[in-house]
Amino acid sequence: MRIGIIGAGSMGSALARGLGEPAVVYDADGERAEALVAEVGGRVASSNSELAGQVDLVILCHKPAQLREVADDAAPATKAVASIAAGVRISELEAAYPGTPVYRFIPNLPVEVGRGVFCYAAGTRAAEGPEREVLQLFARSGVVIRLDEPLIEPAMALMSCGPAFIALVVGAMAGAGARHGLDAAQATRLVVETMAGTAAYLDANDLDPAELRRRVATPGGVTERGLQALEDGGVVQAFDAAVDLVVEATRR
Ligand SMILES: NC(=O)c1ccc[n+]([C@@H]2O[C@H](COP(=O)([O-])OP(=O)(O)OC[C@H]3O[C@@H](n4cnc5c(N)ncnc54)[C@H](OP(=O)(O)O)[C@@H]3O)[C@@H](O)[C@H]2O)c1
């Protein structure tokens, strides 16, 4: 499947690296498009419409506000469209690309290293186009989780904002260790490896997180007391507030 990437910014570039496929690229900033093509292979297009005419799948990696401007140019030549634009609904994509199969994805930054998560909602004409190939393509750089479109916003709060939320936890834990004399880089490595191992353990055992807590924290022991300190400090309410804020801000 020949792919075209519109918008070689941070997410478009991360996705292109994760897909590991040569691409036709267009960006309003030509140097950004050149730099991405130098990394992943392919070629720079002279316009969005030229790009659309050269590929089987146009991947929209521009900002949501640029939907109309880009579609006015690209839509007539577009055969199928996948969008990663965060707030742009399927109905808006289908209005901008009339008669074209539409696939709506939300990626997260770890797609760049092949460990991403994509939320996926199918457009009304998805089955008329190359849906299976599109899903196989995206699955190269992350797990694809199919959702009803109204659930995209709470899912986004977890998996798209999630890397930033988790990075805050890493920094806080490592900082606490460094205050007790650990080297800062070593402290960060301890937390990152613990996080990766915990994720692998949860996944391998298909484990409820509460059960993992029980396995680590013996009653009355230091882990249990540490968990209580975190709860008393409002960690659970703080995550609730962050997710509520993202959902409210992204649902229109
Ligand atoms: N960053 C994330 O973690 C994340 C997660 C999920 C979804 N997304 C979605 O990914 C999309 C891109 O986000 P980003 O963070 O990568 O933004 P970004 O770095 O600003 O990238 C957007 C790129 O599109 C270019 N562009 C502007 N107008 C264009 C046009 N008419 N034709 C082609 N390219 C054009 C921009 O150039 P100029 O800078 O010159 O305008 C910029 O290089 C957004 O829709 C966002 O909602 C991002």
Side-chain angles (χ1 to χ4, degrees):
M1 166 177 277
R2 296 168 304 165
I3 61 171
I5 293 187
I6 296 186
S10 56
M11 201 61 223
S13 299
L15 179 62
R17 292 183 193 112
L19 297 179
E21 184 81 10
V24 181
V25 179
Y26 181 77
D27 193 291
D29 178 335
E31 280 180 20
R32 244 175 252 158
E34 296 277 1
L36 183 57
V37 164
E39 264 189 72
V40 301
R43 55 176 285 270
V44 175
S46 58
S47 67
N48 284 323
S49 60
E50 196 239 332
L51 175 148
Q54 300 287 312
V55 300
D56 305 304
L57 179 71
V58 172
I59 307 180
L60 306 180
C61 303
H62 53 67
K63 292 282 193 196
Q66 291 147 356
L67 178 70
R68 272 285 155 200
E69 172 196 339
V70 170
D72 284 349
D73 202 18
T78 296
K79 298 169 196 72
V81 62
S83 166
I84 65 159
V88 181
R89 288 166 203 264
I90 285 168
S91 57
E92 295 170 276
L93 291 165
E94 291 183 340
Y97 290 83
T100 307
V102 157
Y103 310 97
R104 181 182 177 195
F105 291 91
I106 303 292
N108 65 8
L109 207 52
V111 298
E112 178 170 319
V113 293
R115 294 296 309 271
V117 176
F118 293 99
C119 289
Y120 170 61
T124 58
R125 291 170 172 270
E128 295 169 27
E131 185 178 29
R132 200 165 54 85
E133 292 96 312
V134 172
L135 291 174
Q136 279 170 353
L137 174 75
F138 279 71
R140 281 189 209 166
S141 59
V143 174
V144 179
I145 296 182
R146 193 185 279 262
L147 286 174
D148 290 336
E149 196 176 34
L151 292 175
I152 289 265
E153 287 86 3
M156 255 175 64
L158 304 188
M159 48 63 70
S160 184
C161 305
F165 295 166
I166 289 169
L168 183 144
V169 173
V170 172
M173 283 180 70
R179 275 197 305 106
H180 288 276
L182 283 167
D183 169 74
Q186 215 165 33
T188 301
R189 184 158 167 74
L190 288 170
V191 179
V192 169
E193 291 300 334
T194 301
M195 195 164 271
T198 304
Y201 185 88
L202 282 169
D203 196 35
N205 295 299
D206 196 16
L207 206 63
D208 183 332
E211 173 55 24
L212 188 147
R213 283 170 59 172
R214 279 192 289 277
R215 289 187 187 183
V216 179
T218 49
V222 288
T223 306
E224 191 179 73
R225 284 155 58 201
L227 285 167
Q228 192 59 55
L230 287 169
E231 287 191 11
D232 293 347
V235 167
V236 176
Q237 292 90 327
F239 275 109
D240 266 342
V243 170
D244 288 356
L245 187 147
V246 173
V247 171
E248 275 161 35
T250 49
R251 270 198 179 140
R252 286 176 288 137

